[in-house]
Amino acid sequence: ASKFFQFPDHNQTKFEYIHIPCLKRKTRQEIRQLFRSLKINTSRVLDISYPGRNIIGILVHQHYLPHINTMLQEANIPTLKNFDPIHQI
């Protein structure tokens, strides 16, 4: 029982944003609906944000990252590598 009352290992759970370009802004519900149509498990998408103009940020757990990247590649959806919302193009 004493193991339960320990500090969590912060290296254990890591999350990452995937940044995707988009033509226009849609609601989070519409984005999730589009993901479902692509057979992406939306319960694995923890957050959808708009960090820049025509950019969607999707927060996922690092264990789900390879799977969602594969699904996006199969659907020919580009992802932005090394996107920095402070230093946009």
Side-chain angles (χ1 to χ4, degrees):
S2 64
K3 285 189 175 190
F4 177 76
F5 298 104
Q6 301 295 320
F7 287 107
D9 182 11
H10 292 290
N11 295 329
Q12 186 178 13
T13 57
K14 294 212 177 205
F15 301 93
E16 255 185 76
Y17 271 99
I18 300 172
H19 295 97
I20 302 172
C22 62
L23 294 177
K24 66 177 189 171
R25 189 173 176 144
K26 291 186 174 279
T27 65
R28 288 171 176 82
Q29 183 179 8
E30 291 171 325
I31 298 295
R32 288 185 184 275
Q33 188 174 8
L34 289 171
F35 284 156
R36 280 191 290 275
S37 71
L38 296 171
K39 307 289 188 222
I40 292 174
N41 186 353
T42 57
S43 65
R44 299 287 190 145
V45 176
L46 301 175
D47 185 39
I48 298 172
S49 64
Y50 300 94
R53 186 178 178 93
N54 298 331
I55 305 289
I56 298 172
I58 302 162
L59 182 65
V60 295
H61 193 272
Q62 73 177 19
H63 295 311
Y64 190 63
L65 192 62
H67 178 70
I68 196 166
N69 276 329
T70 302
M71 298 295 285
L72 292 171
Q73 285 176 350
E74 287 175 2
N76 294 323
I77 298 173
T79 57
L80 303 173
K81 307 292 183 207
N82 302 321
F83 176 76
D84 185 3
I86 296 172
H87 297 99
Q88 295 182 22
I89 304 172

